[in-house]
Amino acid sequence: MNLYIRYFDKETLVYSADEAVDFLCSIPEIGMNPQIEADIRDYAASDVYYPKRYKVRPRVYFIVIKTEAATMMDFKQKKALRTNPQHTVERRDSVQPAVGRLNEERQGWYEGALDFKRVVMVPATGKHEYRDTHFVARCKALSGLDCYNKIVDHLRDRVDSRSQFPSAKGKNFKFKYLGMWK
């Protein structure tokens, strides 16, 4: 695995952590120290593939990116992008079931939890403000989406019309199937 390093207009593609440290030591503004050196060596040896940035001074950083590119030209033309098909399938499978489960028809009792912005009046000032509100309800529904719709319909009749409800597909709505109704 190679490392691409950039600090303003100074950039290089190196083939080992030793070369990376040598390059960074050649730039006096960076001020290499044992902690940065150890961190770069750990990063080069790890399975982590996200870019790392290191602070030189306020709002000034240098970046280190792992790449499989053999040359700087390959890196610039993005010919050696790391694609791990197993990782992309894992991510797709972990995201898809949540949306799929939302529409999956399964009659019974559901427990839905909703975090929304509720408009309330502040008695001291007489003005209104948004307040984060957590609401949990159990209801008979045909699917997770039906559960969401029933909860939101129930709340719309009971809270200020300016209150804001999240999407059923977002992280602010969770539901679980409790079982068949009798």
Side-chain angles (χ1 to χ4, degrees):
M1 191 59 49
N2 302 326
L3 299 172
Y4 168 78
I5 303 168
R6 186 178 77 219
Y7 177 72
F8 288 108
D9 61 343
K10 297 175 178 108
E11 63 182 0
T12 188
L13 184 73
V14 296
Y15 306 100
S16 69
D18 293 330
E19 291 177 27
V21 170
D22 290 342
F23 172 75
L24 292 169
C25 286
S26 72
I27 304 172
E29 303 100 65
I30 289 179
M32 276 297 284
N33 60 42
Q35 290 85 11
I36 294 175
E37 182 179 342
D39 195 50
I40 289 173
R41 290 182 190 283
D42 289 344
Y43 174 68
S46 71
D47 292 337
V48 175
Y49 283 91
Y50 59 85
K52 297 229 10 180
R53 70 179 190 170
Y54 295 89
K55 191 173 195 171
V56 174
R57 59 183 181 273
R59 297 191 305 267
V60 176
Y61 300 87
F62 71 88
I63 63 166
V64 180
I65 301 173
K66 276 189 180 179
T67 181
E68 294 176 357
T71 65
M72 183 68 83
M73 184 62 78
D74 288 347
F75 180 79
K76 294 287 184 171
Q77 293 177 350
K78 299 181 181 177
K79 289 184 180 175
L81 289 175
R82 177 169 160 53
T83 57
N84 185 347
Q86 185 178 16
H87 183 266
T88 55
V89 169
E90 258 178 41
R91 180 173 172 103
R92 191 179 320 118
D93 289 345
S94 67
V95 173
Q96 191 65 21
V99 175
R101 282 187 328 124
L102 188 64
N103 294 319
E104 178 184 315
E105 290 208 15
R106 196 170 172 194
Q107 295 181 357
W109 283 98
Y110 284 84
E111 180 176 88
L114 185 70
D115 295 322
F116 68 102
K117 301 279 187 188
R118 182 177 185 177
V119 174
V120 294
M121 187 177 75
V122 178
T125 63
K127 295 184 178 180
H128 293 82
E129 70 178 13
Y130 285 105
R131 203 166 279 160
D132 291 331
T133 305
H134 182 72
F135 183 80
V136 179
R138 290 184 177 176
C139 62
K140 289 182 181 179
L142 302 175
S143 66
L145 184 60
D146 187 37
C147 172
Y148 170 82
N149 290 333
K150 286 185 178 189
I151 290 172
V152 171
D153 288 343
H154 173 80
L155 289 171
R156 283 194 200 279
D157 295 337
R158 291 165 175 76
V159 297
D160 191 294
S161 62
R162 295 171 287 181
S163 297
Q164 298 174 354
F165 299 101
S167 166
K169 297 176 184 176
K171 65 180 181 179
N172 291 324
F173 173 67
K174 294 180 178 41
F175 69 94
K176 64 181 173 184
Y177 179 73
L178 301 175
M180 192 65 179
W181 62 55
K182 294 184 182 188

